Amino acid sequence: MSAMVLVLNCGSSSIKYQLIDADDGSMPARGLAERIGENGGHIRHEWSGEPLEKDVEMPDHEAGLAAMLDLFEQHGPRLSDVGIRAVGHRVVHGGETFAEPVTIDDDVERTIDELSALAPLHNPPNLAGITVARRALSDLPHVAVFDTAFHQSLPPVAYTYALDRDVAAEHHVRRYGFHGTSVSYVTRETARLLNRDPARTNIIVLHLGNGASATAIRDGASIDTSMGLTPLQGLVMGSRSGDLDPGILFHLRRSAGMSVDELDDMLNRHSGVLGLTGVRDMREVHQLASDGDDAAKLARDIYCYRIRQYVGAYLATLGEVHAVVFTGGVGENDSWVRSRSLAGMRRLGIEVDHVRNASRGSGTRFISPDGASTVVAVVPTNEELEIARQTMSVVDGR
Ligand SMILES: Nc1ncnc2c1ncn2[C@@H]1O[C@H](COP(=O)(O)OP(=O)(O)O)[C@@H](O)[C@H]1O
Ligand SMILES: CC(=O)OP(=O)(O)O
Ligand SMILES: [Mg+2]
């Protein structure tokens, strides 16, 4: 029987979708609907041959999903023809409730809704996608796969903030961690690359995309990670600040009169690389830097400095590290960031070979010298395949 899954990743103004075979990773179709709820809606639908580009106004996620299903019906592949088995949904926050993927029913939807307070940017659009997809594709099982699930193995010493414990307990304040679906995939791929049993492998995974995180893996399980209660903590990101002194918030509240919503918006949407430079894409930052822009040079140095500090922290946490792995759009493509982040760590067993690092491969590859005590590698992530696999594991009970 086929293992074909429709994977949906619904963001606040976009729907990313892939039709993907959980068994062999083949991907007959994929696409991206953008500018949902704004003017100038657009869908790019890729199936055999030239990608199809279409302008279509999508006032909400329901309209976005309807437009997507229309493209499948009109241009193919028709979902009824490909033997699709299930729909897999990316859900960012699963709180403490979900340590595993689950089949979605009304109760699960309600719980995801309740968790929106902990991930106001991510869970509401995830949920909107689920609600409309369950209605439109009502004869298929729908499975939620959570970014937080893989990090449920964190020990209390890593997930507990040093706050009033009663307040923290009442409001579920703890570190949850995100990007777990990606990190889980990359962990398994890395163990395979090293020819090691994942359950005996220690890895530092650097997922550097729009959001960015570092995770310490001991014996195949996540034991610490840089994102926290929300995906705002940790590394410097495209538009998020990452770590800062919480006192800054009180200072800006009192001195600049900024409201909580304004602070939230600034830290999540106008900080990080964007706040420092005016552009969010690392390629544009490099362009500015090579044109002599000092703010861009400083921003990329800060970006790499934060990564290196987390690598140092997780070396200390893990004691022994078999691999440091880069993934995500920046991690997979940006040799400058990789080399700058790990420069001067030879005495800690970490070294980047500059020829290997600079070579323009696109697949999984070592970038450390032969015989290095800690391997440095680039391992492209595939969150959609991981979501498809986890979805099928729920559907088939396998
Ligand atoms: N060739 C490249 N060099 C440097 N950075 C890149 C390159 N390609 C993509 N990126 C970065 O990757 C980011 C997107 O990462 P990705 O993991 O695809 O994002 P998402 O979190 O949306 O899945 C872009 O914003 C850009 O900064
Ligand atoms: C949780 C998170 O940060 O996701 P993304 O990188 O897709 O924004
Ligand atoms: Mg991402």
Side-chain angles (χ1 to χ4, degrees), residues 314-336:
Y314 290 166
L315 280 172
T317 299
L318 290 167
E320 181 184 17
V321 177
H322 302 111
V324 176
V325 178
F326 289 92
T327 194
V330 178
E332 291 166 31
N333 295 299
D334 197 321
S335 56
W336 193 95

Side-chain angles (χ1 to χ4, degrees), residues 90 92 122 147 178-179 211 227 231 240:
R90 179 187 184 202
V92 163
H122 289 90
D147 261 52
F178 301 87
H179 289 148
M227 285 179 167
R240 293 173 232 163

Side-chain angles (χ1 to χ4, degrees), residues 3 10-11 64 72 77 90 106 117 124 152 201 204 217 250 264 308 313 317 336 354 397:
C10 294
F72 274 111
R90 179 187 184 202
D106 293 347
Q152 285 292 298
T201 307
I204 297 173
I217 303 287
F250 313 134
D264 191 334
R308 141 195 218 87
T317 299
W336 193 95
H354 293 292

